[in-house]
Amino acid sequence: MKVNNLLYVALLLLSLNCFSQNWDKIEAKDGIHYISHYMQNINLDILGKYLYKGQEPVVELNEYGMGFYQLHEQPKRPMIWGLECDDRGALIYKKGFDNSKYTLWYQYTTKLEGDTEDDLNWKQVEFTMHFNTLKMFIQGERSKDYKEIASK
């Protein structure tokens, strides 16, 4: 009897993990969007620091949708982030000749003196991967090198 109960619990936990969502729903000024920061869903080597000409300002993408975003001549601020996806968790992107373009959404998690409501809303910026140079860019100016991942 105990073995059967243990088997049912294990099966329940496995099914919850298999059917768990791989995206979050956010509300931006222009409506509802879906984002993902779950690395098993993104399957890209995007975590790390993106530098402007090798220095600050920096954007840092960390695990679990956490990180830092720094505007020019501003302090680094903690934020949450995700790449835009559809309502099933599939990333939305446009593939070009030698690149792919994604939308990175971020929102500051702290309020600074003088911040407006708009400063604390979700913001979108362009995130691109360039296959020939093996570089990734945020806003076209902050970059990070990456390595190709072998196909399975």
Side-chain angles (χ1 to χ4, degrees):
M1 187 68 175
K2 288 184 181 182
V3 173
N4 282 343
N5 288 341
L6 186 59
L7 184 60
Y8 288 130
V9 169
L11 185 59
L12 176 64
L13 291 175
L14 179 65
S15 65
L16 285 174
N17 188 38
C18 290
F19 294 107
S20 64
Q21 86 183 30
N22 289 321
W23 50 264
D24 295 312
K25 185 178 179 179
I26 64 169
E27 188 169 349
K29 288 172 68 175
D30 65 345
I32 300 295
H33 295 271
Y34 300 95
I35 62 170
S36 182
H37 56 262
Y38 303 96
M39 297 319 295
Q40 73 273 15
N41 190 41
I42 293 176
N43 201 24
L44 301 170
D45 181 27
I46 67 171
L47 299 179
K49 290 184 179 182
Y50 293 76
L51 300 171
Y52 175 76
K53 297 182 181 179
Q55 58 189 9
E56 289 188 353
V58 64
V59 175
E60 188 173 332
L61 302 182
N62 298 324
E63 286 186 295
Y64 312 114
M66 304 301 287
F68 296 92
Y69 206 103
Q70 182 180 23
L71 299 175
H72 288 275
E73 300 178 9
Q74 298 289 321
K76 262 180 22 176
R77 294 181 66 177
M79 57 114 179
I80 52 177
W81 65 271
L83 292 179
E84 187 156 12
C85 62
D86 64 19
D87 61 358
R88 293 170 289 136
L91 292 182
I92 297 172
Y93 65 97
K94 290 184 181 178
K95 187 161 171 51
F97 173 70
D98 64 349
N99 63 37
S100 287
K101 182 170 107 174
Y102 302 81
T103 301
L104 174 74
W105 286 90
Y106 73 95
Q107 182 182 50
Y108 293 125
T109 57
T110 59
K111 184 175 182 174
L112 296 180
E113 186 177 327
D115 275 351
T116 65
E117 186 177 321
D118 194 45
D119 291 327
L120 300 175
N121 287 335
W122 282 96
K123 295 168 188 56
Q124 63 177 332
V125 293
E126 186 176 90
F127 178 92
T128 57
M129 295 185 73
H130 298 263
F131 310 126
N132 292 339
T133 60
L134 297 178
K135 287 192 177 285
M136 295 179 285
F137 289 89
I138 295 176
Q139 285 188 291
E141 64 179 20
R142 294 136 199 233
S143 66
K144 172 186 170 298
D145 294 337
Y146 75 94
K147 295 178 182 170
E148 287 190 58
I149 299 173
S151 301
K152 293 181 181 177

